[in-house]
């Protein structure tokens, strides 16, 4: 069953006076429960595609549907809600909030999606859940640490924990091991594979064939199109 | 929920927030202090400048004055019995005051009043010095000089009437009304200025010829020391002084040679409006009407001229609005003129035609407006300084937004809405405004409440820091009024401007597509 479908995606960037056509009619289906790796040379538009799939960026042309709902035909509010509830992101540079501790960073998606009154009713269970996720990614002793007190691998685990806090249908990982050494990268991939085995749909972008080989399926982006 | 969470975390984790709060704090305190002092100054001016006028003033602004004032007073009371309380006539003229012992002379403005009704129309009685400590012993009739004596125990005593008055004062003494410019409160054992007992060992009493009393504007004769206290030793109560006057006819010509009138200094008046206190002396109306040739004078044909007054002061009954009464009184005046038609001489008609009716506020407007304009000017100046504070807050927020651009992208990637992100920074601004505003109001009101003590402290530290010198200003203390409306307005402005300062950066933060801030580390 198709979870997400990208149809004829086009995206152009301006670099000074020159225009770069990053995506030139990308078509892509992501099946429910699969782990899909998007590979390609550096600068070929992998990350752009991933961002558009997660509604972090908008295409110049084309559509993206998630569970049958067109992301870019929806209202801004709806798109924000989809990003909160249905999509989880893991970035190459972790992108944790430095003022908040590990537990608070993981709780952030829940905080964003909950009103003040609901939060007071549900904060205990949310905290318990965040602690449980952090336990599964091996960080149960680091709840009160600030991001700067963690190693790169640990930060990325926090980012993964945050991404799955709201149990999204769709987990997007942009070079999740790109900033880590081989050992730490391996740990992160094990973590992602574990999630995938439990039914989590994952799309990851990587230029590393070893990482890509661990996915169920690979597609390669060449010249702004998916290579057949 | 995340909005509050992020706002508070940013507040406590960013030093720059402390600087924003500090700038709002100082701005609010500064504006409040300046406003309170200016308001106090203005209120004092208004209150005291009204003090010597009635609610309504009727005059023709000439030295000759106008006739038929008695008839009009009666007519006005008859026509508006519900509104009119007291009407009193006043004569203004000019003269030269001379003290025989030291022979100092000064030009003075003579204000001839009917003491009792004048005191009923305004707060003149409250401005009197001796009358405060020896109540009801001041009058403008014929008086002798009171002198102290020594009793059997060796204490100085005053004539019984003054002793009784002082006992009355001590019984009803109101600490709040003690005037700090007076030499420590006079007790009857050291009756400063009341006679000289060393010359009169024995019984107290009165001496000298009975002469008409005169009340002198305090600043006409006396000066203040550094502490703002008047030195009254140079002119005793009851001492003889000479007022030389120049009578005018109704045509405005000089009626006769200057007349020196020997009088006794019965009291001095400090209305706290320097322009009044430095020049005015108060004398009996009837007596000076005659001296100034404004009473009835016999014409060659045996008839008499109409007595004249320079001004009528009207006080209204409690609760009556002088602005509403004004047109009615004008109407009654015109009616009154109608009743006189044909029965007045040409000169009288001229004098009557110039008579106008005003409220005390309009009359003092030039003076009050000057202070009001100063207030506006100061408000504008401080408004500009406040704009600087807004810009500062704007810059601080802009810096925070720049610093937090990546965080904004992260929060948006987690599903935060643009409005939600904007709200974080707007709330941040508002909270800074609220905290800075509260601190500023606490500081401002504390400083204003203790402004005189602070000044004394500063002056003790370094005398050149005494900005409000009682030698210079007619008010002894720095006046200040903290109005709740001003507090509310300043607080609202603080919150509003801080929020406004945060608004532009907040909008910038909110309108970013998350990917733009997340693409690169």
């Amino acid at each position: 069953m198709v979870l997400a479908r990208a149809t004829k995606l086009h995206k152009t960037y301006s670099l000074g006076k020159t225009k770069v056509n990053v995506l030139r009619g990308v078509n892509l289906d992501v099946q429910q429960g699969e782990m899909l790796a998007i590979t390609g040379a550096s600068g070929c538009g992998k990350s752009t595609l991933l961002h558009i799939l997660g509604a972090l960026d908008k295409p110049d042309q084309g559509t993206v549907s998630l569970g049958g709902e067109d992301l870019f035909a929806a209202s801004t509010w709806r798109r924000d809600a989809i990003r909160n509830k249905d999509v989880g992101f893991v970035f190459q540079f972790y992108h944790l909030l430095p003022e908040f501790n590990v537990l608070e960073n993981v709780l952030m998606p829940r905080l964003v999606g909950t009103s003040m009154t609901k939060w007071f009713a549900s904060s205990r269970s949310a905290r318990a859940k965040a602690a449980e996720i952090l336990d599964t990614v091996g960080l149960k002793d680091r709840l009160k640490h600030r991001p700067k007190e963690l190693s790169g691998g640990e930060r990325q685990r926090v980012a993964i924990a945050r991404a799955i806090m709201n149990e999204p249908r769709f987990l997007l990982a942009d070079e999740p091991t790109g900033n880590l050494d081989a050992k730490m990268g391996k740990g992160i991939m094990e973590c992602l594979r574990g999630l995938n085995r439990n039914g989590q749909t994952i799309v990851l972008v990587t230029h590393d064939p070893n990482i890509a080989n661990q996915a169920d399926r690979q597609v390669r982006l060449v010249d702004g199109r998916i290579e057949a | 929920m995340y909005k509050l969470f992020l706002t508070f975390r940013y507040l406590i984790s960013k030093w720059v927030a402390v600087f924003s709060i500090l700038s709002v704090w100082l701005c609010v305190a500064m504006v409040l202090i300046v406003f309170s002092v200016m308001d106090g100054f203005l209120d004092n001016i208004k209150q005291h400048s009204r003090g010597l006028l009635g609610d309504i003033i009727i005059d023709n602004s000439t030295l000759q004055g106008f006739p038929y004032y008695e008839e009009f007073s009666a007519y006005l009371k008859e026509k508006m019995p519900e509104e009119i309380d007291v009407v009193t006539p006043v004569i203004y003229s000019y003269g030269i005051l001379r003290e025989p012992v030291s022979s100092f002379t000064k030009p003075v403005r003579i204000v001839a009043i009917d003491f009792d009704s004048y005191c009923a129309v305004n707060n003149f009685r409250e401005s009197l010095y001796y009358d405060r400590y020896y109540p009801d012993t001041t009058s403008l009739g014929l008086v002798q000089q009171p002198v102290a004596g020594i009793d059997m125990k060796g204490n100085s005593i005053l004539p019984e009437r003054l002793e009784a008055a002082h006992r009355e004062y001590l019984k009803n003494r109101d600490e709040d009304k003690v005037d700090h410019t007076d030499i420590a409160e006079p007790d009857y054992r050291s009756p400063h200025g009341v006679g000289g007992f060393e010359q009169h060992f024995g019984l107290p009493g009165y001496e000298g010829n009975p002469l008409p009393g005169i009340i002198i504007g305090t600043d006409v004769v006396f000066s203040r020391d550094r502490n703002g206290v008047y030195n009254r030793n140079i002119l005793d109560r009851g001492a003889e002084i000479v007022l030389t006057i120049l009578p005018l006819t109704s045509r405005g010509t000089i009626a006769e040679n200057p007349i020196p009138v020997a009088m006794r200094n019965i009291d001095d008046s400090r209305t706290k409006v320097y322009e009044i206190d430095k020049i005015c002396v108060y004398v009996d109306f009837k007596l000076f009407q005659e001296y100034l040739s404004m009473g009835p004078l016999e014409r060659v044909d045996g008839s008499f001229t109409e007595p004249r007054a320079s001004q009528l002061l009207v006080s209204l009954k409690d609760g009556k609005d002088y602005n509403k009464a004004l047109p009615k009184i004008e109407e009654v005046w015109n009616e009154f003129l109608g009743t006189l038609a044909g029965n007045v001489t040409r000169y009288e008609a001229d004098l009557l035609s110039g008579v106008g009716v005003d409220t005390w506020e309009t009359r003092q407007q030039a003076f009050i407006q000057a202070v009001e304009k100063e207030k506006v000017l100061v408000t504008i100046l401080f408004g500009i300084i406040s704009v600087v504070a807004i810009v500062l807050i704007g810059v601080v927020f802009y810096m925070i937004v720049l610093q937090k651009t990546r965080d904004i992208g992260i929060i948006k990637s987690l599903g935060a809405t643009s409005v939600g992100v904007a709200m974080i920074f707007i709330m941040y601004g508002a909270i800074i405004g609220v905290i800075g505003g509260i601190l500023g109001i606490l500081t401002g009101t504390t400083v204003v409440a203790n402004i005189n003590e602070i000044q004394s402290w500063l002056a003790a530290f370094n005398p050149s820091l005494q900005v409000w010198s009682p030698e210079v200003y007619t008010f002894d203390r720095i006046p200040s009024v903290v109005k709740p409306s001003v507090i509310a307005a300043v607080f609202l402005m603080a919150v509003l401007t801080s929020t406004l300062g945060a608004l532009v950066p907040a909008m910038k933060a909110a309108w970013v597509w998350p990917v733009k801030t997340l693409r690169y580390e």
Side-chain angles (χ1 to χ4, degrees):
Chain A
M1 193 176 89
V2 174
L3 174 66
R5 170 168 289 161
T7 314
K8 295 180 183 168
L9 290 183
H10 286 263
K11 182 75 183 176
T12 306
Y13 284 120
S14 299
L15 283 177
K17 285 182 181 173
T18 56
K19 293 208 166 187
V20 182
N21 293 321
V22 189
L23 303 179
R24 304 175 180 187
V26 171
N27 292 307
L28 181 68
D29 283 354
V30 180
Q31 301 297 324
Q32 175 83 49
E34 76 167 333
M35 187 174 188
L36 171 68
I38 301 171
T39 61
S42 190
C44 71
K46 307 183 292 290
S47 293
T48 304
L49 176 58
L50 195 77
H51 291 150
I52 291 173
L53 287 176
L56 284 186
D57 202 356
K58 58 177 178 182
D60 296 336
Q61 281 177 44
T63 58
V64 174
S65 64
L66 184 64
E69 185 176 4
D70 186 342
L71 285 183
F72 297 102
S75 68
T76 315
W77 291 86
R78 176 70 193 135
R79 202 158 47 239
D80 292 332
I82 290 171
R83 248 191 332 245
N84 180 245
K85 298 272 186 300
D86 296 323
V87 184
F89 284 100
V90 178
F91 300 99
Q92 180 179 356
F93 299 108
Y94 333 121
H95 288 332
L96 300 175
L97 296 170
E99 273 95 1
F100 296 85
N101 66 31
V102 166
L103 184 69
E104 288 164 342
N105 263 289
V106 175
L107 279 171
M108 200 54 74
R110 186 62 64 89
L111 276 165
V112 168
T114 314
S115 67
M116 199 188 297
T117 45
K118 281 187 185 162
W119 175 252
F120 286 117
S122 66
S123 73
R124 192 182 288 268
S125 63
R127 282 173 188 278
K129 174 154 194 218
E132 186 191 321
I133 296 171
L134 283 164
D135 189 15
T136 59
V137 296
L139 289 172
K140 73 171 179 185
D141 300 329
R142 301 283 195 167
L143 304 190
K144 299 287 175 193
H145 285 64
R146 292 284 175 99
K148 66 178 177 191
E149 296 163 340
L150 304 177
S151 71
E154 286 172 327
R155 290 184 203 185
Q156 197 59 301
R157 285 163 196 266
V158 176
I160 291 170
R162 180 180 65 186
I164 60 173
M165 177 67 198
N166 276 352
E167 298 174 5
R169 289 193 277 173
F170 204 21
L171 182 64
L172 305 172
D174 186 4
E175 302 273 13
T177 60
N179 213 28
L180 303 173
D181 61 29
K183 191 181 162 202
M184 282 184 179
K186 196 178 165 201
I188 292 299
M189 280 313 292
E190 276 169 10
C191 189
L192 290 175
R193 284 182 60 77
L195 289 171
N196 179 241
R197 273 197 297 276
N198 291 330
Q200 178 71 59
T201 309
I202 300 176
V203 176
L204 67 89
V205 158
T206 182
H207 63 275
D208 182 346
N210 292 330
I211 299 293
N213 287 339
Q214 296 179 48
D216 300 332
R217 185 162 71 95
Q218 291 184 37
V219 290
R220 188 173 170 77
L221 203 57
V222 178
D223 291 336
R225 289 195 186 88
I226 301 284
E227 200 175 55
Chain B
M1 183 63 207
Y2 71 101
K3 293 174 272 243
L4 268 181
F5 197 49
L6 264 89
T7 305
F8 279 105
R9 187 57 60 89
Y10 284 166
L11 264 176
I12 56 172
S13 63
K14 292 273 162 213
W15 270 101
V16 80
V18 176
F19 289 109
S20 304
I21 290 172
L22 202 67
S23 65
V24 176
W25 178 357
L26 293 178
C27 254
V28 166
M30 177 179 70
V31 168
L32 198 64
I33 293 167
V34 169
F35 261 63
S36 300
V37 171
M38 290 303 288
D39 271 345
F41 195 64
L42 196 60
D43 279 7
N44 254 322
I45 295 272
K46 276 187 178 172
Q47 193 187 337
H48 292 116
S49 62
R50 179 182 185 161
L52 285 196
L53 296 170
D55 291 316
I56 302 284
I57 297 114
I58 302 162
D59 68 7
N60 67 351
S61 309
T62 65
L63 280 180
Q64 297 110 289
F66 63 97
Y68 299 105
Y69 67 92
E70 280 173 315
E71 289 81 350
F72 177 66
S73 300
Y75 189 77
L76 185 64
K77 282 183 190 163
E78 188 193 316
K79 290 286 175 183
M80 295 174 67
E82 296 295 313
E83 281 106 332
I84 305 298
D85 188 17
V86 182
V87 185
T88 188
V90 183
I91 292 172
Y92 294 107
S93 184
Y94 289 89
I96 294 169
L97 191 71
R98 179 172 180 274
E99 200 270 307
V101 180
S102 67
S103 62
F104 78 76
T105 51
K106 278 213 169 169
V108 288
R109 184 174 200 217
I110 299 166
V111 185
I113 57 172
D114 173 53
F115 186 72
D116 291 329
S117 62
Y118 191 70
C119 289
V121 160
N122 57 37
N123 299 328
F124 182 64
R125 190 179 274 278
E126 286 173 21
S127 74
L128 300 177
Y129 172 67
Y130 290 110
D131 197 64
R132 184 154 51 244
Y133 301 107
Y134 304 92
D136 295 325
T137 59
T138 297
S139 78
L140 297 173
L142 295 175
V143 286
Q144 288 177 287
Q145 180 168 31
V147 288
I150 302 284
D151 69 5
M152 299 301 281
K153 291 176 186 166
N155 297 323
S156 79
I157 49 167
L158 293 170
E160 181 46 33
R161 188 169 164 235
L162 291 175
E163 286 286 352
H166 193 65
R167 280 196 296 274
E168 190 67 19
Y169 156 73
L170 290 174
K171 209 166 79 185
N172 303 321
R173 187 158 80 154
D174 181 352
E175 283 299 332
D176 291 342
K177 286 194 175 165
V178 172
D179 190 330
H180 299 277
T181 63
D182 294 345
I183 300 170
E185 190 167 321
D187 79 38
Y188 62 92
R189 272 171 295 278
S190 58
H192 54 276
V194 184
F197 63 82
E198 69 279 6
Q199 298 157 23
H200 297 274
F201 192 81
L203 290 175
Y206 295 92
E207 69 171 21
N209 301 328
L211 295 173
I214 180 170
I215 296 167
I216 301 170
T218 306
D219 293 289
V220 173
V221 181
F222 307 120
S223 54
R224 310 171 78 175
D225 64 17
R226 285 182 63 85
N227 300 319
V229 176
Y230 280 98
N231 171 16
R232 287 186 168 84
N233 293 333
I234 55 165
L235 190 67
D236 291 344
R237 189 180 203 193
E240 196 178 322
I241 52 175
V242 177
L243 180 64
T244 305
I245 54 172
L246 206 61
L248 293 179
T249 65
S250 60
R251 298 184 197 187
T253 55
I254 293 172
E256 47 193 297
N257 288 333
I259 308 170
V261 184
M263 309 187 82
R264 290 197 186 278
N265 163 41
I266 190 69
D267 211 332
D268 61 81
S269 155
R270 184 158 172 267
T271 64
K272 298 187 181 173
V273 178
Y274 187 65
E275 278 67 20
I276 294 172
D277 298 337
K278 74 173 179 191
I279 195 155
C280 290
V281 296
Y282 307 85
V283 294
D284 184 60
F285 181 82
K286 281 286 171 206
L287 188 67
F288 273 72
Q289 191 177 41
E290 200 180 304
Y291 283 149
L292 291 164
S293 300
M294 291 178 84
L297 298 173
E298 194 174 356
R299 296 195 181 98
V300 281
D301 63 0
S303 65
F304 283 88
T305 60
E306 279 298 321
R308 285 169 284 135
S310 307
Q311 198 173 59
L312 282 177
L313 297 179
V314 181
S315 71
L316 300 175
K317 288 192 171 153
D318 284 349
K320 298 292 174 191
D321 182 351
Y322 49 83
N323 284 315
K324 283 184 187 155
L326 179 71
K328 274 191 180 173
I329 295 176
E330 278 175 331
E331 207 174 293
V332 174
W333 172 255
N334 289 329
E335 264 177 48
F336 176 73
L337 283 185
T339 64
L340 292 178
N343 297 325
V344 295
T345 65
R346 208 186 90 210
Y347 295 115
E348 285 173 348
D350 282 349
L351 293 175
L352 287 168
S353 68
V355 173
V357 185
D358 268 333
T359 65
W360 69 271
E361 211 167 35
T362 328
R363 189 52 64 94
Q364 294 298 85
Q365 209 146 39
F367 189 43
I368 294 170
Q369 263 183 355
V371 182
E372 267 172 353
K373 277 180 184 150
E374 277 172 34
K375 191 180 156 192
V376 171
L377 193 72
V378 171
T379 307
I380 291 170
L381 281 176
F382 281 87
I384 292 169
I385 296 173
S386 301
V387 168
V388 175
I390 298 173
V391 171
L392 186 73
I393 293 167
V395 170
V396 166
F397 279 107
Y398 197 78
M399 277 168 52
I400 294 173
V401 168
L402 281 185
Q403 274 183 359
K404 291 281 142 207
T405 303
R406 198 183 57 113
D407 288 17
I408 292 163
I410 295 168
I411 297 160
K412 290 189 89 172
S413 78
L414 298 177
T417 60
S418 297
V419 174
V421 169
M423 281 305 290
I424 293 171
F425 292 94
I426 289 170
M427 283 197 315
Y428 192 106
I431 289 171
I432 281 177
V434 168
I435 297 174
I438 289 171
L439 290 173
I441 283 164
L442 288 178
T443 311
T445 46
T446 310
V447 169
V448 168
N450 300 295
I451 196 158
N452 287 291
E453 287 71 18
I454 291 170
Q455 192 201 226
S456 307
W457 182 79
L458 284 174
F461 185 63
N462 181 351
S464 67
L465 294 174
Q466 173 133 6
V467 285
W468 190 276
S469 168
E471 285 173 276
V472 178
Y473 294 98
T474 181
F475 305 133
D476 335 308
R477 295 162 69 77
I478 303 174
S480 59
V481 183
V482 185
K483 293 182 177 166
S485 58
V486 172
I487 292 184
V490 170
F491 181 73
L492 274 180
M493 279 304 287
V495 177
L496 210 69
T497 49
S498 306
T499 312
L500 208 70
L503 197 64
V504 175
M507 292 297 178
K508 179 184 154 58
W511 262 239
V512 174
W513 266 87
V515 71
K516 293 205 170 157
T517 61
L518 294 175
R519 190 176 289 273
Y520 306 104
E521 178 71 333

